[in-house]
Amino acid sequence: MSQRREISEDGRELLFDHGAPYFTVTNPDVLSVVTEWESRGLVAEWKSNFGSFDCFTNKFVNTEHQERESKKYVGVPGMNSICKALCHEPGVDSKFNMGIGKFEWLEHENLWSLIGLDGQHLGHFKGVVASDKNIASPRFTAITGQPPPLDIITKVIQELSNNCGYHKSQLYLAGDLSLAPELVKLHDIPIDPCFALMLGFNEPLSLVPANGLSFTNSKVLSRAHCESSKPGRSSTSERWVLHSTTEYAKDVIAQSGLEKPSKETLSKVGNEMLQEFLGTGLTIPQPFFMKAHRWGSAFPATSIAKEEKCVWSEKKKLAICGDFCLSPNVEGAILSGLAAASKLKGLIGTL
């Protein structure tokens, strides 16, 4: 639920929701939370026309503005408005631009020691909530060159598999009996990557009959959304975000690697995605702004805690939550966060 601020060559400010374009709600607990956000002006329903484009027949389908079973909500004035507001709730002390490099459990003190990516000691804490799906994954090492923050898994695997030849399930049991099953799941959560292309146009794309599109029979594009049609957005320019298919993103990453993509790679991706969009057969002008972004861990490809809704260690007061626990969307992340909060609230008297 992020928003990106870009400046065009002529100095115009452009805002893009380059992650989740909107979210829907079906769970009553989440609806209660979202209704409260709506009353505070943090979210609004995106009432617009949505449809699909078949790249095989080159035809739009289902583009009527109709009553929908699930409302589409967006943050106002950006998708990041909700997280911004949560960071400033009473009692919350937020620290930004501070990556966590290591979680270390101090057994005798019953405390967590947190170390920054820069090696700085960040303090001791009675409880920890983490929402990064890569917290115990070798993917973290592939991207940063450093061990994952919860490195107990890596250590156990390296020491026992190399020296003792244990089966994988035995390795985690040897490492930490209380967290073993969950750590197995956390070790390498499969993800579906995505590329996002941010586009700015001087005129509305009046011949595109919907402000939100999904694509079928396209190897490159999965969906497209008109940012400037959302409530609370500036309409001084027409702004669109295109998302690639998972298969396309995987192919690009297989060739370029997990490291930060080069300008050449992003330029090539941007041009290929734009050409697919232009290939709808409608008169779409050339954009005055274009920038591609790699959303490397866009969607978890599995759910690791469907019943529990979060990973929880009561002994260590550690909760790990996120869309990878329940379902790969905003509602899944909210439900998982509520579950983690409930676990910690139940221990308030013992902290």
Side-chain angles (χ1 to χ4, degrees), residues 150-265:
L150 272 179
D151 197 27
I152 181 173
I153 302 171
T154 303
K155 290 178 180 177
V156 172
I157 287 178
Q158 288 176 344
E159 294 175 8
L160 297 184
S161 66
N162 290 342
N163 299 326
C164 305
Y166 288 149
H167 186 271
K168 189 175 183 180
S169 62
Q170 293 176 295
L171 304 187
Y172 298 104
L173 289 169
D176 189 327
L177 287 172
S178 65
L179 277 179
E182 292 82 359
L183 287 179
V184 171
K185 299 174 184 177
L186 279 167
H187 176 58
D188 197 10
I189 299 171
I191 54 96
D192 290 333
C194 174
F195 279 93
L197 180 63
M198 297 166 280
L199 299 171
F201 299 92
N202 285 314
E203 301 293 336
L205 305 189
S206 55
L207 294 180
V208 179
N211 288 318
L213 286 172
S214 61
F215 292 89
T216 58
N217 296 314
S218 172
K219 295 182 178 180
V220 179
L221 294 181
S222 64
R223 57 187 179 182
H225 296 91
C226 179
E227 290 295 308
S228 40
S229 70
K230 295 179 180 179
R233 269 58 169 183
S234 167
S235 58
T236 55
S237 63
E238 179 98 344
R239 300 178 308 284
W240 283 74
V241 172
L242 313 182
H243 282 174
S244 76
T245 63
T246 296
E247 292 72 21
Y248 175 82
K250 284 182 176 179
D251 287 344
V252 173
I253 292 173
Q255 298 175 38
S256 61
L258 286 174
E259 295 79 12
K260 183 179 179 180
S262 66
K263 289 183 178 179
E264 293 75 19
T265 295

Side-chain angles (χ1 to χ4, degrees), residues 120-142:
Q120 178 185 357
H121 182 256
L122 303 177
H124 292 160
F125 301 89
K126 295 180 179 179
V128 169
V129 179
S131 62
D132 185 354
K133 66 176 70 68
N134 295 323
I135 189 172
S137 170
R139 192 180 301 112
F140 184 92
T141 303

Side-chain angles (χ1 to χ4, degrees), residues 54 71 76:
D54 189 329
K71 294 180 179 180
V76 179

Side-chain angles (χ1 to χ4, degrees), residues 330-343:
V330 172
E331 183 175 35
I334 295 173
L335 272 172
S336 184
L338 290 173
S342 177
K343 295 291 188 183

Side-chain angles (χ1 to χ4, degrees), residues 268-340:
K268 181 175 182 291
V269 166
N271 285 322
E272 290 176 350
M273 292 178 66
L274 176 62
Q275 290 307 310
E276 189 81 354
F277 192 44
L278 297 176
T280 54
L282 298 176
T283 305
I284 298 176
Q286 287 293 322
F288 70 84
F289 176 86
M290 180 174 77
K291 187 171 185 178
H293 166 77
R294 187 182 74 185
W295 191 6
S297 295
F299 308 104
T302 188
S303 300
I304 66 170
K306 285 187 176 181
E307 297 298 325
E308 305 87 350
K309 300 180 183 177
C310 69
V311 176
W312 169 244
S313 168
E314 183 171 348
K315 176 185 176 183
K316 292 180 169 61
K317 301 176 181 64
L318 169 68
I320 301 174
C321 58
D323 57 358
F324 52 92
C325 288
L326 195 57
S327 58
N329 49 42
V330 172
E331 183 175 35
I334 295 173
L335 272 172
S336 184
L338 290 173

